[in-house]
Amino acid sequence: MPVHILAIESSCDETSAAVLTDGKVLSNIIANQTVHEQYGGVVPELASRAHQENIVPVVDMALKKAGVQRSELSAIAFTQSPGLIGSLLVGSCFAKAMALALDIPLIAVHHMQAHVLANFIEDPQPAFPFLCLTVSGGHTQIVRCDSPQSMQVIGETLDDAAGEAFDKSAKLLGLPYPGGPLIDKYAKEGNAARFKFPEPQIPGLNFSFSGLKTAILYFLQEHQQQDPGFVQANLADICASIQERIISILLHKLVKASKETGIKQVAIAGGVSANSGLRKALQQYGEKYGWQCYIPKFEYCTDNAAMIAITAWYKYLAGDFTGLEATVSARS
């Protein structure tokens, strides 16, 4: 009999459900929340309420699109950590109740492991071992992947994540939330060499973005005191320069990790991996350093249940199930 897995992702402000059959994702439904835009960031309580409103129709749509009945499900997976605790509780409680009602196994999935394994949803797929630069709003990591179950974080941010650096820089520029995609948009029209921002000299494979954020703040304050219209007149060049520096910080560390480990299979994952500048730069670095590069489709970069489903598939094959006593956690 085929193995059908329903996966639920609710770690932040996307309610998503996916159905996977024998390792192939058949549906991936995502409901985005627009309520947070007026606040300039995700409001946890509002996110939880929106998940409660969205989860039933999203799961129903995922099952219908996949052509799978509830009675045919083999297991249900949910995001266990990290994330907003209220949002995680909505998804986990729904998954537990449905698994209990159907008397089928429950699979708990780590959100960051799922981002890495998003590279296995479709072909081409990296070969083990490979390095994955995982960049999102809350995390920036270099992960050594030896198997779907064996991953080691060999480098991570000491303060802000790359996604936070994008969004906070956008806020300083007066751009609406979420600002990261807008920086990417304007950067396409700008000259990345016009303004120079510092690159933190952090030892090892760890990252830091707090100093860059401060440098951007002082840069804008200085120029706006001299010319109040400076940002508007130079927005594209500023965005391009900021984006170029964030990308160089990320990829210089990835080069170092590749040299230290000898691994030339390289992937990216996480919401920031949807950034067009990063995707293009990775390909250029790949050609320069002889890497085999892997980049997920855009829909699998941001938070989505398809990545939860593919991770659950490997856990299902390994018999890695969890009980109803499993608790969610806001931390990694």
Side-chain angles (χ1 to χ4, degrees):
M1 291 180 60
V3 174
H4 303 291
I5 297 175
L6 169 66
I8 296 169
E9 154 62 20
S10 66
S11 63
C12 192
D13 62 335
E14 284 95 3
T15 311
S16 183
V19 175
L20 171 147
T21 297
D22 291 340
K24 181 177 177 58
V25 173
L26 301 183
S27 64
N28 183 41
I29 307 300
I30 303 172
N32 294 304
Q33 301 176 6
T34 58
V35 66
H36 308 285
E37 293 176 2
Q38 59 187 305
Y39 300 103
V42 177
V43 181
E45 178 62 27
L46 295 180
S48 302
R49 293 179 184 178
H51 283 306
Q52 289 177 319
E53 295 173 359
N54 293 334
I55 194 163
V56 171
V58 165
V59 167
D60 185 57
M61 191 179 300
L63 289 168
K64 287 180 178 177
K65 184 175 180 180
V68 174
Q69 300 295 319
R70 287 191 298 271
S71 59
E72 297 177 298
L73 290 174
S74 308
I76 299 179
F78 67 95
T79 303
Q80 184 177 30
S81 67
L84 301 176
I85 197 70
S87 296
L88 291 169
L89 281 169
V90 174
S92 64
C93 289
F94 186 94
K96 289 178 182 181
M98 195 168 182
L100 181 62
L102 297 174
D103 192 26
I104 56 178
L106 193 63
I107 303 174
V109 173
H110 191 287
H111 184 81
M112 300 311 295
Q113 179 189 16
H115 268 310
V116 173
L117 293 179
N119 284 281
F120 290 82
I121 296 173
E122 294 184 352
D123 293 329
Q125 301 175 1
F128 294 102
F130 69 94
L131 296 176
C132 186
L133 174 65
T134 310
V135 277
S136 67
H139 297 82
T140 299
Q141 302 172 333
I142 299 177
V143 183
R144 177 183 173 130
C145 310
D146 292 301
S147 75
Q149 294 82 24
S150 178
M151 299 183 185
Q152 178 187 4
V153 176
I154 59 176
E156 60 187 336
T157 184
L158 301 176
D159 39 61
D160 288 353
E164 290 174 313
F166 272 112
D167 286 338
K168 290 177 180 178
S169 297
K171 191 171 184 178
L172 293 174
L173 292 170
L175 300 176
Y177 176 86
L182 291 175
I183 287 185
D184 188 17
K185 174 185 174 182
Y186 291 120
K188 294 175 183 177
E189 307 165 3
N191 175 13
R194 182 165 175 210
F195 303 111
K196 294 296 182 182
F197 296 106
E199 179 166 346
Q201 300 304 306
I202 306 299
L205 299 177
N206 289 330
F207 304 90
S208 173
F209 292 97
S210 62
L212 173 63
K213 181 185 66 178
T214 302
I216 293 169
L217 171 64
Y218 290 160
F219 167 85
L220 294 175
Q221 287 177 341
E222 179 184 349
H223 283 82
Q224 285 176 307
Q225 285 176 354
Q226 300 171 2
D227 177 11
F230 173 77
V231 170
Q232 193 62 36
N234 300 278
L235 184 60
D237 289 347
I238 297 171
C239 287
S241 300
I242 290 173
Q243 178 164 289
E244 190 278 335
R245 175 53 72 214
I246 293 174
I247 290 172
S248 73
I249 292 171
L250 293 170
L251 293 184
H252 288 167
K253 291 292 186 176
L254 191 56
V255 169
K256 188 172 183 179
S258 175
K259 290 180 178 177
E260 288 185 6
T261 61
I263 297 174
K264 293 185 176 292
Q265 294 270 317
V266 176
I268 57 174
V272 180
S273 65
N275 179 279
S276 63
L278 177 58
R279 296 166 82 91
K280 181 180 179 181
L282 181 71
Q283 298 287 10
Q284 293 172 342
Y285 272 64
E287 293 174 5
K288 180 178 180 179
Y289 293 102
W291 295 345
Q292 287 288 326
C293 295
Y294 301 88
I295 305 173
K297 289 174 58 176
F298 282 107
E299 68 179 290
Y300 303 136
C301 292
T302 54
D303 294 349
N304 66 91
M307 69 183 194
I308 305 300
I310 194 67
T311 307
W313 166 246
Y314 289 111
K315 284 178 168 283
Y316 185 94
L317 295 177
D320 186 2
F321 303 114
T322 192
L324 294 174
E325 74 282 356
T327 58
V328 297
S329 173
R331 298 182 179 274
S332 295

